[in-house]
Amino acid sequence: MAKKKHYGRKSAVNRNWANIERENPLWESYYRSLQLFPDDQWELFKKACQEPLPLTFRVTGSTSPKLRKEILQLFQQDHLEKLTGVEFEGVKVDPPQLLPWYPSQSAWQIDVPKRVMRKNEMFSATQRFLVLETGAGNISRQEAVSMVPPLLLDVQPCHKVLDMCAAPGSKTAQLIEALHADPATPPTGFVIANDSDTRRSHMLVHQLKRLRSPNYLILNHDAQFFPRIAVEQDVSSKHKCLKFDRVLCDVPCSGDGTLRKNINVWSDWKHQNGLGLHALQWKILNRGIELLEDGGRIVYSTCSLNPIEDEAVVAQALRKWGDSVSLVDCSAELPQLKRCRGISQWPVIGKNQQIKTRGDEGSLESWFPPTAEEARMFHLERCMRILPHQQNTGGFFVAVFEKTASVETAPEVEEKLAAVTIAEPSTTAPAEKKKKALPLDAIDEPFNFVSGDNEDMQKCWSFFGINEQFNRDCCLVRSKLGDPIRVVYTVNPMLKDIIQMNGEKLKKIYAGVKMFVYQRDDIECPWRIHSEAVPCIRNYMNHNRVIEGDKELLRVLIEEPFPTYDFLLKHDVSQKIIDKINTLSTGCAFVHVSRDDEDKESLLIPIWKGVKSINIMIAKQDAHELLYRVFGIETKAKENPNARVSPEDAEKDSTDACDKVEPALS
């Protein structure tokens, strides 16, 4: 949802959620008064808010059409029937259904809460399928309403996109997928994913790496003060400021649209939650509009139904920007998505449940509804409210703006503008912040680019037969010296320019795809190609290091650690394949496997060719996913079928000083 760190939220540790009553008189009184829908729908609305949220997922939009079709067929053939006509705790569970409004029929809803899917044996096979395909980057488990804002941004492969409050990253992933929507055309655009929380910024890496895209950069800035990003110089020798074609402002919010999954919101809800967040939300939206290109589109969204956080923020943007921005009428977009229109009237209620009026001490002018004249100009009815009882979802608010003209801002005040637009009143005592530990694999090293003429890089280009059409000068390393020592990444050319031109001004967390990993220096090429880089490099590589294999070879490589060539012969791998393997020098190579069905995508898998044996070089979860998708073999998370080789024996034939290569399923 918009932000999982909700205002006023207490730790769930030692809280017995089963004992939290899903009632709150203040919440009920307030939302009844708003008249968001006819009175006879109130009980349906409240009942929906009190019920657990169903599980939803979508097939990743950047996968090839063949792979997308294969994943959908797997779900329908192996799981749809098993989940049809079942009962759980004496209640009949509705069969899974397509989300009718999501494009390409690639999103599904399962009317079982996530916690039940995880722990109940009845649903274990489907849960395992979801885990495997999520880890492989083929699907994303995401709440249905969370899928809406990226769709309404209408991202194209050439767009420059900013996600201002990106963590945990499900919407960001959608934006990146939209760049790669046409597999035949590499995107020229990029996504900058920003989050103000350092730890959550690092968590974005794990969400986005699954997509294997070189077209994103993760930053760690306070969104309301998002910095000017310099791009190319103009004729006056001054740097131009980067403007974005698309901006997503999915801002921190009180989260009362998440009542179905965040049960503690019931007990924590109070009027001042929305009042306290309004100023921050407006500042972020205002900064987003400043950074938007003329003719660009910006989406403002929250997982709150509170108009103080929703229409009041939108109205303030329209009030401040005048004719420079306009609300887009999205009523014809996603036509099968049920929604309500935005509202133009709401009460402002303070801490002691008193009705506030304009001019009251400690109140903000922008909390209050627009005047009658403003309401006619603003068209707040074009905002979109998605309510839980309409389509069995969470609650959500979305507003879409288009920018029609620039308003010039002096560079020396641009950084401060968002901070002074509204003075934020204090509604609570400031909480004492605890320093959060970063993930163990977080990298805290500078970004330095390596020339394509670098000696190590020349070895890689030659050894793997990578042609000059590949952007050889877009390789970067994370080290102070800037030499390729351990890992080399590749990024989009425009991101390279941004990283180089802005130096330490940007608080960079991660960028691009891990491409080359150092292996050992006693062979022809000491580097291997990382599996993450295969999708973006396969079309630029010749077949010198590619073995045309078959499914039997692939299965042996997945199930057997470091199989010898004699072992391969005994397991029906053809002599022709083994002869091809023996023609290769020691080092990284690839196995290409065509599928029996022409409608299924062929596989290109990295391996390590040793003196006496070979080894597949993919992560454990990817190996499990291939066993299931290609061979129909179901495995368990803790299964370790190839623990027949000791680490000492494995090290004799294949070592990796920085990213240890292990048997695929060990």
Side-chain angles (χ1 to χ4, degrees):
M1 300 277 45
K3 189 83 167 180
K4 281 42 177 198
K5 190 168 65 174
H6 299 294
Y7 184 94
R9 180 172 178 179
K10 301 175 183 176
S11 171
V13 178
N14 297 323
R15 295 185 69 179
N16 188 346
W17 280 25
N19 294 334
I20 294 178
E21 186 179 17
R22 300 188 189 209
E23 294 278 355
N24 187 311
L26 292 177
W27 170 85
E28 181 163 350
S29 174
Y30 184 66
Y31 280 107
R32 272 186 179 274
S33 72
L34 294 180
Q35 297 182 324
L36 301 176
F37 43 78
D39 288 341
D40 59 5
Q41 293 184 26
W42 174 260
E43 291 304 323
L44 290 174
F45 169 75
K46 182 178 177 181
K47 186 174 185 295
C49 291
Q50 294 171 323
E51 292 177 344
L53 191 69
L55 184 148
T56 48
F57 71 91
R58 57 182 179 80
V59 179
T60 302
S62 55
T63 55
S64 69
K66 287 184 177 181
L67 181 54
R68 194 178 309 135
K69 181 179 179 181
E70 184 178 0
I71 299 301
L72 285 170
Q73 286 180 341
L74 272 177
F75 175 71
Q76 291 169 316
Q77 294 171 5
D78 294 359
H79 302 278
L80 189 56
E81 184 177 347
K82 295 177 183 177
L83 297 173
T84 301
V86 300
E87 290 188 3
F88 177 70
E89 295 183 347
V91 178
K92 188 174 181 179
V93 177
D94 290 335
Q97 56 186 308
L98 277 168
L99 297 181
W101 47 267
Y102 196 87
S104 304
Q105 297 185 321
S106 54
W108 284 78
Q109 176 173 298
I110 304 174
D111 285 334
V112 176
K114 186 186 297 185
R115 59 179 177 80
V116 175
M117 286 287 295
R118 286 175 175 172
K119 297 183 179 181
N120 193 278
E121 187 65 27
M122 182 188 305
F123 307 108
S124 60
T126 302
Q127 169 67 4
R128 181 65 174 152
F129 162 77
L130 294 174
V131 169
L132 286 177
E133 300 304 338
T134 299
N138 295 333
I139 70 169
S140 288
R141 287 179 285 179
Q142 182 179 359
E143 188 175 344
V145 289
S146 176
M147 303 175 192
V148 174
L151 293 177
L152 295 178
L153 265 181
D154 187 30
V155 171
Q156 301 299 316
C158 61
H159 280 159
K160 304 180 291 292
V161 185
L162 172 63
D163 188 349
M164 301 190 75
C165 308
S170 59
K171 299 182 191 69
T172 317
Q174 266 184 281
L175 301 176
I176 296 172
E177 292 166 33
L179 293 178
H180 294 270
D182 182 1
T185 306
T188 56
F190 59 84
V191 172
I192 291 182
N194 176 73
D195 200 86
S196 62
D197 187 294
T198 304
R199 180 172 178 82
R200 287 163 60 88
S201 297
H202 283 280
M203 290 171 63
L204 275 169
V205 177
H206 299 283
Q207 173 74 283
L208 303 184
K209 280 176 66 175
R210 303 177 306 119
L211 303 179
R212 305 178 180 187
S213 169
N215 297 62
Y216 71 90
L217 168 66
I218 300 175
L219 300 180
N220 173 216
H221 291 276
D222 187 337
Q224 60 186 320
F225 308 117
F226 191 85
R228 288 168 53 91
I229 295 179
V231 287
E232 76 276 5
Q233 292 183 334
D234 61 20
V235 293
S236 63
S237 298
K238 293 182 179 180
H239 289 306
K240 292 182 180 178
C241 175
L242 175 65
K243 293 295 181 76
F244 295 89
D245 302 297
R246 298 289 187 267
V247 176
L248 177 60
C249 290
D250 192 52
V251 297
C253 67
S254 63
D256 61 19
T258 70
L259 286 163
R260 301 185 66 176
K261 66 176 183 179
N262 294 320
I263 307 174
N264 57 297
V265 176
W266 284 99
S267 58
D268 293 344
W269 193 95
K270 48 188 176 292
H271 297 103
Q272 59 264 40
N273 290 357
L275 300 179
L277 284 166
H278 169 89
L280 173 63
Q281 293 161 340
W282 151 244
K283 292 173 188 177
I284 294 174
L285 174 58
N286 184 63
R287 187 58 179 151
I289 296 173
E290 290 174 351
L291 295 168
L292 189 63
E293 187 68 82
D294 291 359
R297 177 174 281 203
I298 183 170
V299 166
Y300 174 81
S301 60
T302 77
C303 54
S304 170
L305 299 178
N306 191 332
I308 305 295
E309 304 176 65
D310 297 339
E311 285 92 347
V313 176
V314 171
Q316 179 65 2
L318 295 169
R319 189 176 292 122
K320 187 252 172 140
W321 286 89
D323 294 337
S324 298
V325 298
S326 61
L327 270 181
V328 179
D329 183 358
C330 294
S331 58
E333 300 188 41
L334 308 178
Q336 291 182 281
L337 176 67
K338 297 177 182 178
R339 80 290 294 268
C340 289
R341 306 168 82 184
I343 60 177
S344 294
Q345 288 295 322
W346 55 84
V348 178
I349 303 177
K351 183 176 181 180
N352 298 318
Q353 289 80 61
Q354 80 280 14
I355 302 293
K356 287 185 169 289
T357 58
R358 280 185 171 86
D360 284 351
E361 184 179 356
S363 66
L364 300 180
E365 181 71 17
S366 56
W367 284 346
F368 297 90
T371 64
E373 182 180 355
E374 286 179 329
R376 286 192 296 271
M377 296 171 54
F378 290 170
H379 294 291
L380 293 179
E381 71 277 2
R382 293 177 180 174
C383 298
M384 182 184 303
R385 287 178 162 271
I386 306 170
L387 304 177
H389 69 293
Q390 293 174 311
Q391 231 159 344
N392 195 16
T393 65
F396 220 77
F397 174 87
V398 186
V400 182
F401 298 85
E402 283 186 355
K403 190 173 184 180
T404 55
S406 293
V407 175
E408 294 297 328
T409 306
E412 63 269 20
V413 302
E414 186 175 28
E415 296 289 340
K416 301 178 181 179
L417 182 62
V420 300
T421 304
I422 293 180
E424 181 177 357
S426 176
T427 56
T428 57
E432 188 175 324
K433 293 184 178 180
K434 293 183 179 180
K435 189 174 181 179
K436 298 179 181 178
L438 296 179
L440 294 176
D441 57 352
I443 303 173
D444 187 20
E445 294 287 348
F447 289 63
N448 285 300
F449 283 87
V450 181
S451 170
D453 297 331
N454 177 276
E455 182 179 350
D456 286 285
M457 295 295 94
Q458 289 287 359
K459 288 181 181 178
C460 293
W461 310 137
S462 175
F463 187 73
F464 294 109
I466 299 171
N467 64 46
E468 293 184 358
Q469 292 181 324
F470 184 79
N471 290 310
R472 295 184 175 185
D473 288 324
C474 290
C475 295
L476 68 84
V477 295
R478 302 293 305 274
S479 70
K480 294 179 180 178
L481 297 177
D483 296 324
I485 298 174
R486 298 179 60 190
V487 180
V488 177
Y489 303 81
T490 183
V491 300
N492 168 279
M494 292 184 72
L495 288 178
K496 176 195 173 183
D497 293 342
I498 288 171
I499 291 170
Q500 286 189 314
M501 194 166 290
N502 292 272
E504 297 304 311
K505 176 182 178 181
L506 296 180
K507 296 169 65 177
K508 300 177 291 292
I509 300 296
Y510 197 87
V513 166
K514 186 182 292 186
M515 187 167 66
F516 297 123
V517 178
Y518 183 83
Q519 189 78 12
R520 46 191 283 193
D521 60 5
D522 59 344
I523 56 177
E524 181 181 354
C525 180
W527 299 83
R528 65 180 173 93
I529 293 180
H530 197 278
S531 59
E532 280 183 24
V534 171
C536 65
I537 208 169
R538 64 185 298 172
N539 293 331
Y540 302 95
M541 189 170 59
N542 65 31
H543 286 71
N544 292 347
R545 302 291 298 178
V546 178
I547 301 160
E548 290 296 332
D550 54 24
K551 288 178 65 176
E552 183 56 36
L553 172 63
L554 178 60
R555 180 166 175 173
V556 172
L557 290 177
I558 294 174
E559 294 187 323
E560 184 67 25
F562 300 95
T564 63
Y565 305 127
D566 290 339
F567 184 92
L568 294 178
L569 274 175
K570 294 176 183 178
H571 284 76
D572 299 324
V573 177
S574 73
Q575 183 66 53
K576 182 180 179 181
I577 292 175
I578 295 175
D579 289 343
K580 171 62 177 178
I581 296 172
N582 282 322
T583 65
L584 300 178
S585 60
T586 298
C588 179
F590 295 85
V591 169
H592 179 261
V593 180
S594 297
R595 309 289 292 279
D596 299 334
D597 187 341
E598 291 184 358
D599 289 335
K600 293 182 179 178
E601 190 173 51
S602 64
L603 305 171
L604 187 66
I605 311 293
I607 63 168
W608 185 263
K609 193 270 181 181
V611 176
K612 298 179 181 179
S613 65
I614 60 176
N615 179 49
I616 196 168
M617 303 180 79
I618 57 177
K620 174 182 175 181
Q621 67 266 23
D622 292 338
H624 281 291
E625 191 273 336
L626 283 174
L627 279 178
Y628 175 71
R629 177 161 59 90
V630 178
F631 301 101
I633 299 173
E634 296 185 11
T635 59
K636 296 185 181 299
K638 296 182 180 179
E639 192 169 331
N640 189 11
N642 66 357
R644 289 166 286 178
V645 62
S646 69
E648 293 75 20
D649 290 339
E651 286 291 322
K652 291 177 183 177
D653 206 42
S654 181
T655 58
D656 183 352
C658 65
D659 191 6
K660 184 179 169 71
V661 178
E662 296 181 336
L665 294 183
S666 65

